[in-house]
Amino acid sequence: FGTSCDDPGQVRVFSLGDGQDSVDDAAIGHAVVTAPLPTVRVRRHVAGSGTTEGGVVTGLTVAGSAPGPVRVRVLETVPAFLRVIPTSLAVTVNDTALDPVSLWRENRMELSTFNGQPSVFELELVLTPGSFATLKYQFRQAFLPLFDFPPDPNRGFDIPSTVVSYRSNSPCRPRRWASPLLGRQLGSDVNGRLVRQYGPSLVIAMPLPDFSMPYNVITLTSTVLAYLFGGIVTSLVRPLDIVAKKLTEAEK
């Protein structure tokens, strides 16, 4: 693919069917296309350390070559095992913080319930070319029950990707396009189409219990019950032997 409006790339075209022994046999030619450049770049990382508290920072950067303001809709989903601190939610645009009251009032902000639905933050921003926005929030990791942990708890828990949606408004002139985001359609303009980008997913380390403790408790309890049950069964099923009493010299 090309890297700019004036740098077109090529896509190899195949016709798959019966009778081809290899991919090269199915090749029928090439098509010159232009890969649309992303208007918004999404970055994301985890803040903090330890397994009790942390935070997530999501950054959006609008390309300076965008022809005009871009209306961006951001969808952030936080699993229920991360207790989001409501007062920590902050959105800044070009280092200018937005009003928290209007942020909660004008956008969709739903906090999670215990072991229930996740927290959902959906907000709409209008960003000018070359501007950047940051979404930050802090959370506390919940202590989960034993059976809620995955088979490999030391790997961590996954946080879903941030979904960023906006209308494509590429500065490139209409050409033949091929894009995994826009459906790989050739010979049509993509301006005005809905673009949905996914930010990187994250992995959070959760507080882990002593997974060997249930085994130790079961082993100790089973040992005590085995001794108790074994003693009772032995006393019930063992035959009684009558032993003649030996008389002493005085009794004789």
Side-chain angles (χ1 to χ4, degrees):
F1 290 114
T3 58
S4 65
C5 296
D6 299 325
D7 181 22
Q10 289 188 352
V11 172
R12 198 172 185 183
V13 182
F14 299 89
S15 177
L16 302 179
D18 298 334
Q20 288 89 7
D21 297 331
S22 64
V23 176
D24 293 335
D25 296 337
I28 61 176
H30 296 76
V32 179
V33 299
T34 300
L37 302 178
T39 305
V40 180
R41 183 182 298 272
V42 185
R43 297 181 179 179
R44 202 167 178 231
H45 66 273
V46 178
S49 60
T51 58
T52 57
E53 294 183 353
V56 173
V57 180
T58 302
L60 307 176
T61 304
V62 179
S65 59
V70 181
R71 186 177 297 274
V72 180
R73 182 174 294 274
V74 183
L75 176 62
E76 185 92 5
T77 305
V78 187
F81 53 78
L82 299 180
R83 312 287 191 235
V84 178
I85 303 175
T87 56
S88 66
L89 184 64
V91 178
T92 59
V93 178
N94 295 332
D95 294 331
T96 302
L98 301 184
D99 182 21
V101 177
S102 60
L103 183 66
W104 283 86
R105 182 181 302 171
E106 299 174 1
N107 298 279
R108 178 189 177 191
M109 302 292 182
E110 299 177 1
L111 296 178
S112 63
T113 57
F114 180 75
N115 201 21
Q117 65 179 13
S119 299
V120 178
F121 305 134
E122 186 176 7
L123 59 152
E124 189 173 277
L125 303 173
V126 178
L127 304 177
T128 57
S131 62
F132 61 92
T134 304
L135 170 64
K136 301 179 181 179
Y137 60 88
Q138 297 179 355
F139 56 79
R140 297 187 180 93
Q141 286 106 310
F143 194 81
L144 300 178
L146 178 65
F147 296 102
D148 288 351
F149 285 90
D152 186 12
N154 293 303
R155 174 188 173 274
F157 285 66
D158 293 302
I159 298 181
S161 303
T162 300
V163 183
V164 178
S165 305
Y166 58 91
R167 293 289 177 181
S168 176
N169 191 13
S170 175
C172 301
R173 62 183 182 274
R175 303 174 65 168
R176 296 171 64 86
W177 295 82
S179 168
L181 294 177
L182 303 178
R184 294 186 178 274
Q185 298 188 14
L186 300 177
S188 59
D189 191 9
V190 298
N191 287 336
R193 294 187 182 178
L194 180 65
V195 179
R196 183 177 291 111
Q197 292 182 220
Y198 295 88
S201 60
L202 304 176
V203 178
I204 299 294
M206 298 292 293
L208 303 178
D210 184 6
F211 290 102
S212 64
M213 185 58 65
Y215 171 78
N216 297 334
V217 172
I218 293 173
T219 303
L220 180 60
T221 305
S222 301
T223 303
V224 173
L225 292 178
Y227 274 109
L228 179 62
F229 184 77
I232 295 175
V233 172
T234 301
S235 62
L236 292 177
V237 302
R238 175 179 294 178
L240 299 177
D241 297 332
I242 300 175
V243 180
K245 181 180 180 181
K246 294 182 180 182
L247 299 178
T248 62
E249 292 296 335
E251 293 177 343
K252 293 181 179 179

